[in-house]
């Protein structure tokens, strides 16, 4: 081929020539401090229970939860989000185990705070689904619908007991209308003005939650489409965002992360509060399963997926690989 003049005049490949060059000009950087570790604590077990659909993830005992929290601190992870898994016989229609001061989630919060103090931001999932015998995120009416306003009353109680147990941050995740405002009022009225709210602002009704339901021992029959968002919708997320901010959200989140990077980018562009994204169980399971088959490079795929979430605008990423990735990145 004959080359005429200086064609091509622009050569972007010059900035890709070596690993050092690519690192120097990288537009997005992933850091251990960006990461939050979701963790499960289960009542009535004396050893961690493997979650079959999520290789490497466990339902913890209080002792192994303490160890996981300490490891996260050592790796440079910023936070831990706790989910409680109560004994089946303690589930009921109103999820009363979720507001029991001695319930498993509250016990887990106290254990982690005792172990790491303020060295890790201790977060708690504020929802009823783990504790109800029907598996829904709220109280049901006589005809089986989720009663939004009756559920808000239960969320207010949950906020108080979780804050009393030591949560730095509560994460109302049930997608009830008005949940952030009710939780904020409940915290403020009980002397917990310093406890932050991470709002699950855009939580979609997703097919990728399957492994999580094993992780929390979900009793759900049916689906949550009447309260979680329709995957087809974008503007709805921005409306939810405006409402959550008006009600006092300190941070906002998009969940799932990978299939909703467009939503994440729109949310990040629209706000001046920290933005989180949750790389959920199905996203984790797909990469682990494909890697186990030898179809993809596991470590590279993990970093690429997280970098994509960070690039889309997430300042914080909840991921089950948090500690592992933080260690690979060099942590502190």
């Amino acid at each position: 081929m004959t080359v005429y003049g200086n064609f091509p005049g622009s050569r972007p490949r010059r900035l890709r020539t070596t690993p050092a060059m690519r690192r120097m000009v990288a537009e997005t950087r992933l850091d251990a401090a960006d990461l939050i570790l979701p963790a499960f604590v289960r009542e009535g077990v004396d050893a961690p229970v493997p979650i079959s659909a999520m290789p490497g993830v466990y339902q913890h005992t209080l002792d192994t939860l303490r160890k996981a929290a300490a490891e996260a601190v050592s790796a440079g992870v910023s936070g831990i989000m706790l989910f409680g898994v109560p004994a089946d016989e303690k589930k009921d229609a109103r999820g009363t185990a979720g507001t029991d001061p001695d319930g498993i989630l509250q016990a887990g919060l106290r254990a982690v705070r005792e172990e790491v103090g303020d060295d890790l931001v201790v977060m708690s999932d504020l929802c009823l689904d783990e504790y109800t015998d029907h598996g829904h995120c709220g109280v049901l009416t006589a005809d089986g619908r989720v009663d939004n306003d009756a559920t808000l009353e239960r969320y207010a109680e949950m906020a108080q007991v979780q804050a009393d147990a030591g949560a730095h941050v509560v994460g109302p995740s049930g997608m009830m209308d008005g949940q952030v405002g009710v939780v904020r009022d409940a915290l403020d009225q009980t002397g917990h003005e310093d406890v932050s709210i991470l709002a699950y602002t855009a939580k979609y009704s997703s097919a990728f939650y399957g492994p999580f339901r094993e992780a929390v021992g979900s009793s759900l029959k049916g689906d949550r489409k009447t309260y979680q968002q329709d995957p087809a919708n974008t503007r709805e997320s921005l409306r939810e965002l405006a409402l959550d901010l008006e009600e006092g959200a300190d941070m906002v989140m998009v969940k799932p992360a990978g299939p909703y990077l467009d939503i994440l980018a729109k949310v990040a562009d629209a706000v001046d509060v920290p933005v989180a994204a949750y790389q959920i169980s199905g996203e984790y399971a797909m990469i682990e399963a494909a890697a186990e088959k030898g179809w993809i490079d596991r470590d590279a795929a993990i970093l690429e997926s997280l970098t994509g979430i960070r690039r889309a605008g997430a300042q914080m990423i909840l991921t089950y690989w948090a500690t592992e990735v933080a260690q690979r990145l060099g942590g502190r």
Side-chain angles (χ1 to χ4, degrees):
M1 174 181 177
T2 302
V3 177
Y4 297 95
N6 292 323
F7 178 84
S10 296
R11 295 184 182 271
R13 287 183 57 191
R14 291 177 184 138
L15 301 183
R16 306 172 197 153
T17 51
T18 67
M21 177 68 80
R22 294 191 293 273
R23 184 171 63 249
M24 184 178 73
V25 302
E27 299 172 31
T28 303
R29 300 188 191 279
L30 188 65
D31 188 86
D34 303 330
L35 306 177
I36 298 166
L37 176 68
F40 307 98
V41 57
R42 179 171 170 177
E43 187 172 23
V45 295
D46 55 13
V49 179
I51 299 168
S52 64
M54 301 174 68
V57 180
Y58 298 85
Q59 295 171 329
H60 285 288
T61 68
L62 290 173
D63 286 341
T64 63
L65 179 65
R66 287 175 179 269
K67 181 179 178 182
E71 289 176 347
V73 171
S74 296
V77 170
S78 284
I80 187 168
M81 173 67 82
L82 299 186
F83 298 85
V85 186
D88 285 344
E89 62 271 17
K90 292 190 177 179
K91 295 182 180 183
D92 60 26
R94 293 181 57 80
T96 53
T99 50
D100 180 353
D102 296 318
I104 185 59
L105 178 55
Q106 285 66 254
L109 288 166
R110 286 191 293 270
V112 171
R113 284 299 302 273
E114 288 169 3
E115 185 70 27
V116 301
D118 293 332
D119 290 342
L120 200 62
V121 179
V122 180
M123 305 177 170
S124 57
D125 178 61
L126 199 162
C127 196
L128 289 171
D129 60 319
E130 294 101 320
Y131 310 100
T132 54
D133 53 13
H134 47 73
H136 278 287
C137 297
V139 178
L140 301 185
T141 63
D143 60 357
R145 294 180 298 108
V146 175
D147 186 327
N148 191 94
D149 296 358
T151 298
L152 294 181
E153 295 179 13
R154 299 287 294 124
Y155 286 2
E157 297 175 52
M158 292 189 81
Q160 179 179 344
V161 297
Q162 290 178 2
D164 286 345
H168 293 109
V169 178
V170 296
S173 61
M175 291 300 289
M176 296 297 121
D177 295 338
Q179 63 184 13
V180 172
V182 165
V183 168
R184 184 72 271 159
D185 285 347
L187 292 170
D188 291 351
Q189 290 171 17
T190 54
H192 296 298
E193 297 90 347
D194 290 340
V195 174
S196 300
I197 297 176
L198 171 58
Y200 282 61
T201 291
K203 183 178 180 182
Y204 282 87
S205 179
S206 173
F208 293 97
Y209 293 134
F212 179 88
R213 292 176 182 169
E214 177 192 347
V216 297
S218 175
S219 303
L220 180 67
K221 301 293 189 296
D223 59 53
R224 299 180 174 134
K225 293 181 179 180
T226 64
Y227 45 102
Q228 293 178 352
Q229 286 183 229
D230 187 333
N233 293 349
T234 298
R235 288 191 299 272
E236 184 179 29
S237 291
L238 300 180
R239 184 182 183 198
E240 293 278 5
L241 174 64
L243 291 168
D244 282 352
L245 293 174
E246 181 181 342
E247 292 173 23
D250 299 289
M251 301 169 276
V252 297
M253 183 157 67
V254 174
K255 180 181 180 180
Y260 297 91
L261 295 181
D262 59 326
I263 306 300
L264 175 58
K266 288 180 183 296
V267 168
D269 286 345
V271 301
D272 58 2
V273 299
V275 176
Y278 196 147
Q279 185 181 54
I280 66 169
S281 60
E283 298 175 73
Y284 177 95
M286 287 192 300
I287 289 178
E288 290 287 352
E292 192 276 330
K293 291 284 190 180
W295 293 341
I296 60 172
D297 180 328
R298 176 185 180 274
D299 292 353
I302 291 169
L303 286 180
E304 184 177 341
S305 67
L306 291 170
T307 300
I309 297 165
R310 184 76 178 83
R311 187 184 65 244
Q315 295 162 266
M316 305 170 291
I317 305 173
L318 285 79
T319 175
Y320 299 98
W321 291 301
T323 301
E324 174 190 339
V325 169
Q327 291 167 341
R328 287 166 57 189
L329 294 172
R332 297 177 186 275

